[in-house]
Amino acid sequence: MTQFPEGFLWGGATAANQFEGGYQEGGRGLANVDVVPHGKDRPSIIAGKKKHLNFDEDHYYPAKEGVDFYHHYKEDIALLAEMGFKTFRLSIAWSRIFPKGDETEPNEEGLAFYEDVFRELHKYDIEPLVTITHFDMPIHLIETYGGWRNRKLLTFYERLVRTLFTRYKDLVKYWITFNEINMIMHAPFMGAGLVFEEGENHRQAQYQAVHHELVASALATKIAHEINPDNQVGCMLAAGLYYPASPDPKDVRQAQIDNQGNYFFVDVQSRGYYPNYALKSLEREGIELPIEEGDLDLLAQNTVDFISFSYYSSRVSAHPDNLDKYDQTAGNIFKSIQNPYLEKSEWGWQIDPLGFRTTMNELYDRYQKPLFVVENGLGAKDEVTDDGKIHDDYRIAYLQAHIEALRDTITEDGVPVIGYTSWGCIDLVSASSGEMAKRYGFVYVDRHNDGTGSFERKKKDSFDWYKQVIASNGEDLSWKSRA
């Protein structure tokens, strides 16, 4: 069987707001993610429709401690090294570097923390893959400036990226500017720090914020290449192809529209200009982009080096006239029509390894740039047996099928892929629900939905399986159940 390319970057992915903890330590400031609670209020806050920028006694706030990587990073990185990781994706907590976001000088304790993390990774020859902002923004920038709707955030973001690219010039090569930038339209509070005012045009505010983030991404790409020409900068989207629900031309057209909407922002980051379909759509809605002199040149001259993306499931579209014919299901914020040909996870996410391959082919055909799979995985409830073991054959089966599809995409379709980082390689807090029970990792963390637990780390069966996958460079995906 053909192996993956030599030097393929196997690893795992995390995000500071779900993993890091230490929210009041090392000079870190308060961030939007800190004040999003576990429970019934979480969806409305994530959606940006409810103003909730402080803590109250009636809620549990899981991001405050995450799974405490802040104090366990050496132990965690040693576990990653034991699996043979070639890369580890993590994100920067903006408020750890600039606690309020608009300071002129960075917080040295925060810079030193990430430098220690990067040096610890390099000790084991693990390449850091760093997301600059992963649904993370200092609360002060929301309260004082209104989040990314305000162009002043370009100044603060430029200061952040210059600081990062300069300080970590010889420690980090791979960068991602914004996590899942298309999520702004589904989770504006997390994606852009938007809290809508009464009577405000939500769509205008969202697209205004998007334009500022796109300009910021191009600016970051420009600065990264100036500071170190070896830097590789990527965009990132929540991917997953929309299938038409039927051959009805109206459903086919709706799927095309939904796919275009999903690609819109990455089209700009990868091609360097706003696509005509998007401009016409905005024109019909009466939305005006806040384009200033120099913006379009900056976008055109500073496109990204690679396309990174998350993939958990495919989706299904139907024309509004046909929607009542179908049942709906869940999937990474994106709602979808149920696909009768697919199984679903415990959380209703449709499992589609072949859709993974189709999505990658679609992305490469569209952009002709190398791909980087930076999130893929199965959220499931893991049980610890009486002898302390975690038998997660279901996770192995999911990852096995998707890695097979990835292999075929590379070897049979000729799509260039830099690496693969499974999501939540060490258990972390679910972004959508704030749960710990929804686990993704190869390493179990003793932490629970109510905030109890010791933070003890335990290897799951999938730990040894993934170690085997990496050691064989993807050639040996076999597994004999230990349950």
Side-chain angles (χ1 to χ4, degrees), residues 84-95:
F85 272 35
K86 309 301 180 186
T87 189
F88 175 51
R89 181 186 174 213
L90 68 161
S91 72
I92 300 292
W94 189 342
S95 62

Side-chain angles (χ1 to χ4, degrees), residues 170-188:
D170 300 318
L171 292 172
V172 179
K173 174 183 176 181
Y174 293 102
W175 300 89
I176 297 169
T177 53
F178 291 95
N179 179 71
E180 294 182 331
I181 192 167
N182 50 328
M183 280 291 192
I184 290 178
M185 307 313 294
H186 304 273

